[in-house]
Amino acid sequence: MIPDHARRATIASAVAIACVVASAPPAASESTDGVYREPPQILVDIVDAPRTPRVSLSPDREWALLMTRQNYPSIEELARPELGLAGQRINPKNHAPSWAWSYVDLSFTRISEHEERAVTGLPADPRVRDATWSPDGTRIAFTNTTPDGVELWTAEVATGRATRVLGPVVSLTAQAPPKWMYDGETILACLVEEAKRGRGPAPEPPSVPEGPTIQENLGEEAPARTYQYLLESAHDEELFEHYLTTRLALVSLDGTVTPVGEAAIFWDFDPSPDGRYVLVHMLHRPFSYLVTAWRFPMAIQVWDLEGNVVHEVVDLPLRDQIPIARNSVAEGPRDVLWRPDAPATLYWAEALDGGDARVETGERDRVFLLEAPFDGSPTVLMTLPLRYSRILWAHDGLALVREWWWAERRLHLWRVRPGDPAALPELLIDRSYEDRYADPGTPVMISNAYGRQVVLTADDANTIFMIGEGASPEGDRPFLDAFDTYHNETSRLFRSEAPYYELPITPLSKVGRYVVTQRESVDEVPNYFLRDLAEGRSRQLTFFPHPTPELRGYTKELIQYERADGVQLSGTLYLPPGHAPDDGPLPMVMWAYPREFKSASAAGQVDDSPYRFDRVGWWSPLLWLTQGYSVLDRPTMPIVGEGDEAPNDTYVEQLVASAEAAVDEVVRRGAADRHRIAIGGHSYGAFMAANLLAHSDLYAAGLARTGAYNRTLTPFGFQAEDRSLWEAPDVYFQMSPFMHADKIDEPILLVHGVADDNSGTFPMQSERFYNALKGHGAIARLVMLPHERHSYRARESLLHLLWETNRWLETYVKNAEPEGAE
């Protein structure tokens, strides 16, 4: 018998669904047979183009690991067995996520001498994940997922030789990957319990129900956003325990396995920097049918290497009562971690406001420290006026504490001296995080002797290095700065110059003379360089080829324009190769995603660079340059609510005003024909596209992928809206395209993944919206992609998506009849 939750995830996605209203013209209503189709060959070639490798630098920054990404999987791979349990999507046959991006080839490159070394001995058809460097940088560890289970492998830098350490017994059901111990000779991992390694029988559902499924609330407020793949029955609970219960073990490089403690549902685990202890996060009953696994009751403990409990930090109850207001958190210790610059010291934060962001108070959070052997009382590192975010540790004389507050878009960065309890915190940065032009960057991190990430310091450990995007009115210009935290002074070491977009990755020393950068331009794929700042020279380290030469030669321009209310807007305008504005207007694809702001000045800032390389794939509107369209990508659609105003109170008015300004600008420039423009977007962008069709006549057609259209189905908040449906009913109604389906008189193509697990964007959203459109005689088409989630993955799905989109654009945009034509 197929379990109910498995049936929900498979039967509903057994066939492709392509629904077309009867009133659609024949050209657009062909092919409702549920067969995968392919678009023009040039689009197929772009989808099949090799993906640029990912690069990971060794702890000493002497070597780079190059990881070749796999191409898109087949629909057959996506159709393998899957269980959805408390938000986890797992393959019951191999105790791993049911699908995840992997790497298919590895190699090492020496940075100083540009020596390349292929990794040999990899298994046939590898599926590499979780690659991590040993603390001393002499080797990497990684997992290889097979149909039968997950293996543990290592590869030596000196020889390039890969070796399997452990067979298919590693468990990744909770997605907690193996971790290196301090000695660099041992790896800590979650293993499938021996009794289950033969894929022993999972709990069977009762053939006859033993009784009803009951939930009860006794008057406590427990609002929750909408989640998918939750537990729904006692049988689901049994399955959750069966597949997520694992055994921690120390694995030597020769394959020797030493169990650590008893089996449990390990949500996370982390050895202490000195390798003497293990911090474990373990889930336990009672489970919930309303929230995902990470909010289940959780015991957080410190174990020794034999599995004995040395210290219990906390046993958190079910966290289903967190208020929906932004910046609300659970009560009790949270973000419990090891301090990376100390042998074995815990730190964590606790809310002082009950976790409720609506409470007015001058003190929000407190950060605590507890040093091994954990037999004393925790000490207070700092009390925060805003909500704790994270700590970047350097040493006893320097740690950087970050806090933020959503309602005011405020961010603080404090300097504290962990080794001097009497020293007062010093506020280094106080700014609006919406203000990209004033962003000072992010501290550069480096691996220490423990293999942990700490802040890179220089000049008696007071100076840190900051890397930022360098946003400016002319576009992003990345930079590297030296920031003297003692005198609060900044000096610029490097800034990207036209015609390149060059992003610093890391300095190679505390002096900061040699810096690894990633450089790109409009026609040059991002590659890594070693830049000598003193001499002004650079040497190329990687030589990744252009993945889509078919798109060379297009025109790219960062444009700026103004909304009717004075808000500054921008976007990136593209014209096909060989086309000039004087050649006349073209049909256009406009692709956008709205954002909320508390400041009109911040909303008007430029958020792009005219010199970046555009990686074009199935998701990119730049595909349509090959089909004779111009493209306006990422035209800003800010929704501003200054002061006490909530941005969404005027969502529709601001959205339409932004879209109108964008259309007017591209028409003024001669880049687009006013009557042949399509609007499109993904997720919240799809929601935007549907709203623009409902509330304006600016566009010829719409492209809406994986959106949510009825906000009453997400009643406890969505996107940046943290008021409930009952607090702001008019806002929910006005913002829902579903409620205005009778106003949509332009053709709209709806696409949705049948297995979408994103919060709020249930597949039902597109199905119900299509039914509403059909009921009002609209021109609409609904395509449901089998086994696809919020973002699509299977090659067959991607090619069919582009086939559908191409037909829609050809019919309703490129060959659209001008208004008034008979």
Side-chain angles (χ1 to χ4, degrees):
M1 179 180 292
I2 301 175
D4 289 344
H5 52 273
R7 193 160 52 245
R8 291 194 300 270
T10 57
I11 292 179
S13 59
V15 294
I17 305 169
C19 304
V20 184
V21 298
S23 60
S29 61
E30 297 171 359
S31 181
T32 57
D33 53 11
V35 176
Y36 287 112
R37 305 288 178 132
E38 292 191 0
Q41 186 60 44
I42 190 171
L43 299 183
V44 175
D45 293 341
I46 291 174
V47 169
D48 289 339
R51 306 179 73 195
T52 302
R54 178 176 169 242
V55 175
S56 172
L57 298 180
S58 64
D60 60 6
R61 291 164 293 176
E62 178 63 21
W63 290 89
L65 171 65
L66 277 59
M67 297 175 278
T68 302
R69 307 169 196 259
Q70 71 176 110
N71 288 330
Y72 295 107
S74 68
I75 192 66
E76 180 182 6
E77 188 171 345
L78 262 61
R80 291 171 181 168
E82 177 183 76
L83 295 179
L85 298 167
Q88 302 298 104
R89 307 277 291 274
I90 64 173
N91 182 335
K93 290 188 174 181
N94 62 12
H95 289 256
S98 54
W99 199 88
W101 288 110
S102 303
Y103 302 98
V104 295
D105 197 16
L106 305 173
S107 63
F108 296 111
T109 295
R110 187 191 293 270
I111 293 174
S112 60
E113 301 175 9
H114 190 56
E115 173 189 352
E116 296 185 8
R117 186 170 298 163
V119 173
T120 60
L122 291 171
D125 193 24
R127 289 293 183 267
V128 172
R129 292 184 61 205
D130 308 312
T132 55
W133 289 93
S134 62
D136 61 4
T138 59
R139 53 173 58 92
I140 61 168
F142 57 91
T143 60
N144 178 53
T145 302
T146 75
D148 298 321
V150 180
E151 304 169 335
L152 179 62
W153 287 67
T154 62
E156 289 187 343
V157 176
T159 64
R161 180 69 183 173
T163 304
R164 191 177 81 163
V165 176
L166 205 58
V169 297
V170 176
S171 175
L172 294 178
T173 51
Q175 301 190 46
K179 295 181 172 67
W180 283 101
M181 299 295 288
Y182 169 59
D183 62 7
E185 300 290 332
T186 315
I187 299 168
L188 185 64
C190 275
L191 305 186
V192 179
E193 284 195 279
E194 288 189 27
K196 302 173 187 173
R197 290 182 188 176
R199 306 301 176 253
E204 288 286 341
S207 57
V208 177
E210 297 177 357
T213 298
I214 298 173
Q215 300 181 63
E216 182 179 41
N217 188 60
L218 299 176
E220 295 181 324
E221 292 187 6
R225 297 215 174 189
T226 50
Y227 299 103
Q228 293 241 53
Y229 296 95
L230 300 175
L231 300 182
E232 295 185 7
S233 66
H235 179 242
D236 281 1
E237 296 186 52
E238 293 174 352
L239 287 170
F240 180 79
E241 285 185 312
H242 176 82
Y243 285 106
L244 273 81
T245 297
T246 58
R247 175 69 67 89
L248 268 183
L250 293 167
V251 183
S252 299
L253 296 182
D254 63 4
T256 301
V257 175
T258 304
V260 178
E262 297 297 322
I265 303 177
F266 292 103
W267 188 247
D268 194 14
F269 61 91
D270 189 26
S272 60
D274 65 2
R276 296 171 57 203
Y277 306 99
V278 181
L279 176 65
V280 295
H281 295 63
M282 301 173 292
L283 304 181
H284 62 81
R285 290 176 181 267
F287 302 142
S288 170
Y289 294 0
L290 292 178
V291 295
T292 52
W294 74 271
R295 290 171 71 171
F296 287 177
M298 180 185 294
I300 304 177
Q301 300 174 347
V302 177
W303 290 4
D304 63 21
L305 298 189
E306 295 180 353
N308 299 309
V309 178
V310 176
H311 175 70
E312 181 162 356
V313 180
V314 66
D315 191 351
L316 295 169
L318 177 66
R319 285 153 290 158
D320 63 349
Q321 298 177 21
I322 302 174
I324 63 173
R326 283 295 186 98
N327 273 130
S328 293
V329 296
E331 293 189 81
R334 69 181 194 278
D335 299 327
V336 183
L337 299 167
W338 292 114
R339 181 174 157 181
D341 63 328
T345 298
L346 294 173
Y347 71 98
W348 66 89
E350 292 189 35
L352 302 177
D353 57 4
D356 190 346
R358 296 170 298 185
V359 173
E360 297 290 337
T361 180
E363 295 182 344
R364 290 284 174 189
D365 276 341
R366 185 164 290 149
V367 180
F368 294 91
L369 296 171
L370 183 61
E371 186 177 353
F374 317 108
D375 53 3
S377 298
T379 60
V380 176
L381 176 68
M382 185 178 179
T383 299
L384 301 171
L386 307 182
R387 186 66 77 209
Y388 168 80
S389 173
R390 63 181 301 197
I391 300 178
L392 301 178
W393 300 87
H395 46 75
D396 259 348
L398 175 63
L400 303 173
V401 182
R402 176 174 170 167
E403 61 173 351
W404 69 297
W405 195 246
W406 162 256
E408 300 171 0
R409 307 304 196 267
R410 209 76 213 152
L411 184 148
H412 291 165
L413 188 71
W414 297 85
R415 171 182 177 153
V416 296
R417 293 172 172 80
D420 184 2
L424 296 176
E426 301 170 26
L427 185 60
L428 297 179
I429 296 172
D430 178 4
R431 71 180 190 88
S432 166
Y433 61 77
E434 287 186 335
D435 185 359
R436 297 186 73 246
Y437 292 174
D439 187 352
T442 302
V444 173
M445 309 296 286
I446 187 174
S447 291
N448 63 8
Y450 297 123
R452 306 299 177 108
Q453 291 289 295
V454 295
V455 179
L456 175 63
T457 61
D459 297 336
D460 297 324
N462 286 313
T463 295
I464 65 175
F465 297 92
M466 306 284 280
I467 293 176
E469 289 284 350
S472 69
E474 63 266 26
D476 293 350
R477 295 180 58 193
F479 63 81
L480 172 67
D481 284 351
F483 178 30
D484 184 339
T485 61
Y486 186 80
H487 297 97
N488 205 8
E489 296 176 350
T490 299
S491 58
R492 180 133 298 172
L493 304 179
F494 169 79
R495 190 180 189 191
S496 180
E497 298 288 345
Y500 296 107
Y501 175 93
E502 189 167 3
L503 177 68
I505 302 299
T506 183
L508 291 187
S509 70
K510 295 182 178 182
V511 177
R513 173 176 175 176
Y514 295 101
V515 181
V516 175
T517 68
Q518 186 183 52
R519 195 177 80 185
E520 60 191 272
S521 70
V522 173
D523 280 325
E524 295 180 23
V525 68
N527 268 293
Y528 287 80
F529 289 75
L530 181 60
R531 176 174 283 275
D532 183 339
L533 299 183
E535 299 292 335
R537 297 177 301 185
S538 61
R539 174 169 60 84
Q540 191 165 347
L541 300 175
T542 62
F543 297 84
F544 305 137
H546 196 304
T548 50
E550 304 91 336
L551 285 166
R552 284 187 183 274
Y554 61 74
T555 302
K556 178 178 182 178
E557 182 182 3
L558 179 63
I559 64 173
Q560 300 182 54
Y561 47 100
E562 187 174 291
R563 202 164 73 180
D565 60 0
V567 174
Q568 298 299 307
L569 305 175
S570 62
T572 305
L573 177 63
Y574 299 85
L575 299 178
H579 184 88
D582 294 342
D583 296 336
L586 293 170
M588 170 175 277
V589 175
M590 193 177 290
W591 199 264
Y593 193 97
R595 283 187 56 200
E596 298 82 358
F597 290 87
K598 290 300 293 180
S599 161
S601 61
Q605 293 182 353
V606 174
D607 184 16
D608 203 352
S609 167
Y611 306 116
R612 296 207 70 167
F613 179 84
D614 294 296
R615 177 65 169 92
V616 180
W618 66 268
W619 64 86
S620 173
L622 272 62
L623 286 167
W624 308 111
L625 294 172
T626 68
Q627 304 301 304
Y629 298 85
S630 58
V631 173
L632 184 62
D633 192 21
R634 299 175 63 198
T636 50
M637 301 276 182
I639 310 300
V640 182
E642 294 190 308
D644 294 331
E645 296 179 358
N648 284 340
D649 287 351
T650 53
Y651 172 87
V652 169
E653 295 86 347
Q654 293 192 64
L655 183 69
V656 171
S658 295
E660 187 172 31
V663 169
D664 288 346
E665 181 65 15
V666 295
V667 170
R668 183 189 70 80
R669 290 172 172 267
D673 178 343
R674 181 179 294 276
H675 304 296
R676 295 191 297 162
I677 303 177
I679 183 66
H682 183 92
S683 192
Y684 206 55
F687 172 75
M688 168 211 72
N691 263 309
L692 285 172
L693 295 188
H695 298 289
S696 78
D697 293 310
L698 295 168
Y699 299 101
L703 307 169
R705 299 176 184 169
T706 312
Y709 308 102
N710 183 353
R711 285 305 168 192
T712 68
L713 299 179
T714 57
F716 286 107
F718 58 90
Q719 203 70 8
E721 179 58 66
D722 59 5
R723 296 171 295 182
S724 74
L725 167 64
W726 298 274
E727 293 172 303
D730 293 342
V731 171
Y732 276 68
F733 183 92
Q734 185 65 14
M735 289 182 67
S736 296
F738 179 86
M739 304 300 181
H740 307 280
D742 58 323
K743 300 177 184 177
I744 295 180
D745 54 9
E746 297 88 5
I748 184 169
L749 174 64
L750 302 171
V751 182
H752 214 118
V754 170
D756 185 1
D757 55 358
N758 181 59
S759 174
T761 54
F762 285 21
M764 178 179 64
Q765 288 273 6
S766 288
E767 295 167 342
R768 297 285 175 84
F769 188 40
Y770 169 76
N771 290 341
L773 292 167
K774 182 177 181 179
H776 286 91
I779 298 175
R781 183 175 176 94
L782 172 64
V783 180
M784 302 296 291
L785 297 174
H787 302 289
E788 295 295 353
R789 303 188 187 182
H790 194 60
S791 183
Y792 318 137
R793 299 158 294 163
R795 182 177 183 272
E796 293 89 341
S797 300
L798 305 181
L799 296 182
H800 187 87
L801 168 71
L802 299 184
W803 178 82
E804 293 278 3
T805 307
N806 185 55
R807 290 175 66 254
W808 206 255
L809 291 173
E810 288 286 319
T811 303
Y812 297 115
V813 180
K814 182 180 287 186
N815 298 308
E817 292 286 341
E819 287 189 4
E822 297 183 358

